Amino acid sequence: MSMTRNSSGRRGRAAGSSDHVIASLESEIEALRSKVRSLSTQNTTLLKELEYYRNEIKKLMAPPLIEAVVLEVIDEDRVVVKSSTGPNLIVNVSSRVDVRSLRPGTIVALNNRGSTIMEVLPGRYDPLVKAMEVEERPNVTFKDVGGLREQIREVYEAIVLPLKKPELFRELGIEPPKGVLLHGPPGTGKTLLARAVARESDAVFIRVVASELVNKFIGEGARLVREIFRYARDHAPAIIFIDEIDAIASRRVDMGTSGDREVQRTMLQLLAEMDGFDPLDNVKVIAATNRLDLLDPAILRPGRFDRIIEVPLPDFQGRLEILRIHTRRSRLASDVDLARIAKLTDGMSGAEIKAVVTEAGFYAIREGRREIAMRDFLRAVEKVRRRLAGRGRQGHGGVVSTI
Ligand code: ATP
């Protein structure tokens, strides 16, 4: 009996302890499982980090790519590019790049040997568009332009009206000019007038100096012209003002040197751009020159610069208006007689009359006065005249020679 009790007691104890072992093993397993889970999370994080550092090392070790612009696609495998390091190159196209996406002007990355197009860079304006100055909303109106009433009327009809009311022209079936050419001596207000036109037509004003296109950006002129027009179309309504157009549109290009050919290419691109847009498009071109006599007649053909507007030195009335404009915010003594100053400034341009007003102001400041007196103006007129005489300009009546 006692034996039976003993053995069942042992069995009971054995069963109790094995339950205990199982429970403790289960909790150990659970602890290990949770450890595995946390290690596997850690593992994923570390793998990600490893991948990140591998990529970073790859980037740091990778040779730099070369930026280039496509000039011409010859065939499936060969493309002419202009590399940012200078020369024009004929390069291959990597199989990763779709050759159909390449056009003249597309910006691409070449491998570091400069032999293959590796990728197409996202479209953006050629950085060389810095050749132009852009004013979103010029702060000049027709009221700031003195003495050019007739010229204002002409540019108003030719540029402002078609930009603001194209339907008028559509209804009447008339084609407005695509561009106007302003010509006249330096400092007579051609740029000022063009900026006022942009303001009055709520258009972006884009100024380019033609001589810079061919001198400062050698070999880039034609491409820049294309970029500038593209920029203008993207930001239309826009006025492109080309100053010193004679630098690219002069008839005396004899094609003797590569420089001449470059000038010729730039002008042909300009003509192609102008021929390519519609007269009722909202991009207009205003060009300016001091040397109308030099211009190639090709640019004056209808459909290009079909209005030629002379901006001469101001007459008496013009000078008086310019004086009024530039003294609008000045405090003048009661003896100041603007009509007399207008007579004395005969032969001066608007820019020179403005210089007279500024000089007069300086005389007053130097003598500690708070207003400009007539004698300040008289001295200023003399000073500006002396400066002009030094540059080969006559005392009265305009230019005697252009050096
Ligand atoms: P350039 O041929 O040298 O480029 P421009 O004819 O374009 O000269 P502007 O640059 O317009 O001349 O003139 C220079 C400055 O002279 C103007 O910013 C303006 O302050 C003054 N000015 C010239 N003409 C006039 C004018 N008719 N009315 C008022 N200000 C004028």
Side-chain angles (χ1 to χ4, degrees), residues 99-115:
V99 76
R100 286 167 306 179
S101 64
L102 303 177
R103 304 228 169 334
T106 308
I107 303 174
V108 293
L110 304 181
N111 64 348
N112 70 321
R113 294 174 57 213
S115 62

Side-chain angles (χ1 to χ4, degrees), residues 28-64:
E28 215 168 289
I29 289 171
E30 192 41 49
L32 285 171
R33 274 205 187 114
S34 112
K35 205 166 183 187
V36 167
R37 273 198 300 272
S38 119
L39 282 173
S40 115
T41 324
Q42 260 183 46
N43 186 34
T44 326
T45 320
L46 286 171
L47 280 176
K48 271 190 196 148
E49 256 178 56
L50 180 66
E51 183 63 18
Y52 169 80
Y53 285 114
R54 272 203 186 121
N55 277 337
E56 281 301 289
I57 290 171
K58 218 194 271 171
K59 278 189 214 158
L60 290 171
M61 305 281 286

